Amino acid sequence: MRVAVFSTKAYDRRFLLAANAAFGHRLTFFEARLDEKTAVLAEDHDAVCVFVNDRVDRPVLEALAKMGIRTVALRCAGFNNVDLRAAEDLAIDVVRVPAYSPLAVSEFTVALLMALDRKIHRAWARVRENNFALDGLIGRNLHGRTVGVIGTGRIGALVARAFRLGFGCEVLASDVHRDPELEAMGVRYVEPAELLRQVDIVTLHCPLTPETHHIVNAAAIEAARPGMIVVNTSRGGLIDTGALIEGLKSRKIGGVALDVYEQEADLFFEDLSSEIIQDDVFQRLLTFPNVLITGHQAFLTEEALGAIAGATLESLRLAEAGGALPLRVTAEVIRG
Ligand code: NAD
């Protein structure tokens, strides 16, 4: 199959090319992100392969349909950047990689929280300047603290398990489906509003949907325990960033660890170190000593990149053969 692969970095090419030895697709790599302007690059291909910040909205899908493209393959789990209804209307199949390595993201989530909570980011900067003073580096034990996990799917369940069994935390969870295995470990399911009122740490692992958009907002922060720590490795739009900044300024929020950001499409995955960043909200976030941000790297392990490449190329093989697509994502997922 001739595949136009958008938003590719050196590591994408490396893992896709290695996996493609078993498939023989004809891959054309583009650094550009897919959007209305760049869609033209997909001419003379049968499918496009995209990542989290490519824009796959109705106009882009219409342009792709006109070129005869019938498959969009997402190299990620989340699909909030795709207009699934438009894809259905245009008879374009959308496939994703729902579970390439939940461990990669869950382990990173715990690492990010611990780095923030034990002030490792600040200690690292100090030691590089031969400043070995410990003032300001006091952390808290995790054991016995109450952690709230919103979304206990593949990633959230591993996070809940790590905090419950690994660290001996009290764990509250919120999800539209309960996980009996987690309940058997003592994880207690509550409504999201109650969870946000009762926890010392909240970590987000639900998808971004109209229901979960800004699930952490001004009202939730107002009702939260003083000093609540917010961790988000899921999708930026789950948090109202303006409200988060107000919560940090008033000290209601005790710390923030983010791997995703609402407006990340304008920033992440690029080297902007010589640029003037125009996003004042993001720049304000970076000024807080108790905020730790990474640029959407929770998935970035050898294991996950290999699994993403293999699953994506296999879905494209099935699409070419006209068979069923087990990793197809439909508008039904949003409704369900
Ligand atoms: P999953 O589908 O296995 O789990 C999501 C869970 O959220 C499900 O149990 C679902 O029932 C639940 N959920 C849905 N709506 C909810 C709601 N309104 N309230 C509470 N829970 C709700 O997905 P996953 O593989 O665990 O991934 C979770 C998210 O992590 C993805 O949506 C994706 O956005 C994000 N992600 C981020 C990275 C990264 O690199 N930072 C990598 C992979 C995935």
Side-chain angles (χ1 to χ4, degrees), residues 79-336:
F79 46 84
N80 50 288
N81 53 334
V82 184
D83 184 336
L84 292 174
R85 288 197 180 87
E88 276 185 14
D89 294 345
L90 296 160
I92 293 179
D93 287 327
V94 179
V95 291
R96 63 170 177 150
V97 190
Y100 41 88
S101 179
L103 280 167
V105 183
S106 64
E107 290 177 7
F108 189 88
T109 303
V110 176
L112 200 59
L113 168 70
M114 295 205 73
L116 172 81
D117 208 26
R118 301 302 302 270
K119 311 199 170 29
I120 290 170
H121 57 306
R122 302 189 65 197
W124 179 83
R126 281 189 193 185
V127 169
R128 280 167 60 90
E129 299 211 335
N130 295 332
N131 175 357
F132 306 107
L134 298 182
D135 292 325
L137 298 184
I138 300 171
R140 296 268 319 265
N141 290 358
L142 266 177
H143 186 88
R145 283 159 88 194
T146 305
V147 179
V149 181
I150 300 188
T152 54
R154 282 167 286 247
I155 296 167
L158 288 168
V159 169
R161 170 185 282 268
F163 283 124
R164 181 78 193 124
L165 300 183
F167 293 100
C169 297
E170 291 299 321
V171 177
L172 299 185
S174 204
D175 197 307
V176 284
H177 306 291
R178 290 168 177 234
D179 180 335
E181 271 186 43
L182 292 181
E183 288 186 304
M185 291 168 205
V187 172
R188 197 157 57 82
Y189 278 88
V190 294
E191 289 302 309
E194 189 188 340
L195 180 148
L196 284 159
R197 274 198 304 273
Q198 291 193 16
V199 297
D200 302 306
I201 298 158
V202 63
T203 179
L204 306 175
H205 301 287
C206 54
L208 177 61
T209 64
E211 292 75 49
T212 60
H213 180 252
H214 285 186
I215 196 166
V216 175
N217 54 28
I221 292 168
E222 174 67 29
R225 280 188 181 172
M228 180 175 77
I229 291 177
V230 178
V231 184
N232 188 9
T233 60
S234 186
R235 283 293 180 266
L238 297 173
I239 297 179
D240 178 342
T241 316
L244 194 70
I245 288 172
E246 289 310 312
L248 282 159
K249 283 164 74 178
S250 69
R251 296 171 193 261
K252 188 73 198 247
I253 297 285
V256 170
L258 302 178
D259 186 49
V260 287
Y261 167 62
E262 227 175 344
Q263 306 302 332
E264 69 176 52
D266 299 329
L267 300 168
F268 286 5
F269 307 119
E270 305 303 329
D271 178 0
L272 303 180
S273 53
S274 303
E275 306 292 321
I276 305 295
I277 303 293
Q278 300 297 325
D279 185 333
D280 293 346
V281 173
F282 187 74
Q283 293 302 100
R284 180 67 177 107
L285 266 183
L286 291 178
T287 66
F288 295 99
N290 52 348
V291 171
L292 178 55
I293 304 180
T294 50
H296 208 134
Q297 73 171 81
F299 71 99
L300 202 69
T301 64
E302 298 267 335
E303 293 83 351
L305 289 170
I308 290 169
T312 303
L313 298 177
E314 169 63 5
S315 284
L316 291 167
R317 185 188 70 77
L318 292 172
E320 189 172 30
L325 296 171
L327 303 186
R328 183 162 170 255
V329 50
T330 63
E332 207 49 49
V333 179
I334 303 174
R335 292 187 280 272

